[in-house]
Amino acid sequence: MTRTIVVEDNLLISVIYRHYLRKLNIELVAEVTTGERAIEVVRENEIDFIVMDIMLEGEIDGIEAMRQIREFTSIPVIFATGNSDDFHVKKAAAIPNSLFLVKPVTEENFSEAIEKLKDF
């Protein structure tokens, strides 16, 4: 079974992603709200991909969390964010094995992105 974590500090959005993942038969290993915790969870678990918000609680944003995660793994990430300005898009695009979705993310967007991860 495919396994993921969701890194999202908005509870409602996290619930929506949980619903999408359940329908796609993907195991949700953890839901966390900070980049720091995401790094710990990825170190401690076998994960197939990450769903990552960019603006997070805590000291580091989602892009910086992924930079640190890239130091020990190349698992794919889906950045899902409301920050679709050029600055954030370019920063996220610099992370290898990444896709970028703009919120609100529909079930179809989510499913298509997960399919694209298979090409990584």
Side-chain angles (χ1 to χ4, degrees), residues 4 14 20-21 43 47 49 68 73 79 82 103 111:
T4 190
S14 206
Y20 293 168
L21 292 165
R43 279 190 192 278
I47 305 294
F49 71 95
Q68 292 183 34
T73 185
F79 286 110
K103 291 178 183 175
S111 180

Side-chain angles (χ1 to χ4, degrees), residues 5-7 29-45 52 56-60 65 68-69 72:
I5 68 166
V6 170
V7 187
V29 174
E31 294 174 83
V32 299
T33 60
T34 67
E36 294 87 351
R37 183 68 184 125
I39 295 164
E40 293 171 5
V41 171
V42 173
R43 279 190 192 278
E44 297 167 358
N45 295 275
M52 177 78 73
L56 296 168
E57 295 176 0
E59 297 295 316
I60 62 173
Q68 292 183 34
I69 289 169
F72 60 90

Side-chain angles (χ1 to χ4, degrees), residues 92-104:
I95 302 293
N97 295 336
S98 66
L99 295 173
F100 192 89
L101 296 177
V102 177
K103 291 178 183 175

Side-chain angles (χ1 to χ4, degrees), residues 83-103:
N83 297 315
S84 60
D85 60 87
D86 283 343
F87 175 76
H88 286 99
V89 171
K90 287 178 182 174
K91 276 182 71 175
I95 302 293
N97 295 336
S98 66
L99 295 173
F100 192 89
L101 296 177
V102 177
K103 291 178 183 175

